[in-house]
Amino acid sequence: QVQPVESGGGLVQAGGSLRLSCVFSARTFSGYTWGWFRQARGKEREFVGVIGWSGGRTYYADAVKGRFTISRDNDKNTVYLQMNSLRPEDTAVYYCAAGGYFSNTYYHTRPIDYDYWGQGTQVTVSS
């Protein structure tokens, strides 16, 4: 089974930036809505943001709005999460997920909305 693969995590100081990438080697990549989630130690997985399959519309959680940006490159089967002005509370394992195949809405914010998940990449923000 094809699985998304994240990369780009690491350790960064507060105020710094990271860009996460998620590659999905499937011909169906362009038809999926892509979401980013994160899970801090001891906490539930939470929604970060989403990008629709059509038109690239995006929606973000309030905690990251204005700091994080999701984009996608259908030619490269890759979705990105650009994270700026990082804070210690952004520390978590970040997951990309594919769902809502040719969905009529890009508003997919629940983990149950997604069919394929990456293995996660650790982001640690030091104060």
Side-chain angles (χ1 to χ4, degrees):
Q1 179 173 329
V2 179
Q3 182 180 16
V5 178
E6 303 100 335
S7 62
L11 174 64
V12 64
Q13 289 188 333
S17 298
L18 282 175
R19 188 178 79 158
L20 306 184
S21 299
C22 172
V23 179
F24 187 55
S25 300
R27 291 182 295 172
T28 54
F29 174 90
S30 61
Y32 279 106
T33 294
W34 284 90
W36 285 93
F37 291 77
R38 67 186 181 186
Q39 188 165 17
R41 186 173 300 178
K43 296 187 177 181
E44 292 187 355
R45 191 167 298 189
E46 67 171 351
F47 170 77
V48 172
V50 60
I51 185 165
W53 69 271
S54 176
R57 288 181 296 177
T58 55
Y59 174 77
Y60 301 94
D62 288 343
V64 306
K65 199 173 296 182
R67 300 188 298 123
F68 290 11
T69 303
I70 298 174
S71 60
R72 62 189 296 162
D73 186 335
N74 289 337
D75 291 335
K76 295 182 178 180
N77 280 22
T78 303
V79 62
Y80 304 97
L81 178 65
Q82 177 66 44
M83 305 184 293
N84 299 328
S85 301
L86 282 162
R87 305 166 180 169
E89 54 264 38
D90 294 318
T91 295
V93 177
Y94 283 72
Y95 300 88
C96 65
Y101 192 63
F102 286 119
S103 172
N104 59 2
T105 178
Y106 68 102
Y107 190 75
H108 295 291
T109 63
R110 306 173 302 168
I112 197 173
D113 294 333
Y114 293 84
D115 304 310
Y116 299 98
W117 289 83
Q119 81 289 350
T121 185
Q122 177 70 46
V123 171
T124 302
V125 184
S126 63
S127 58

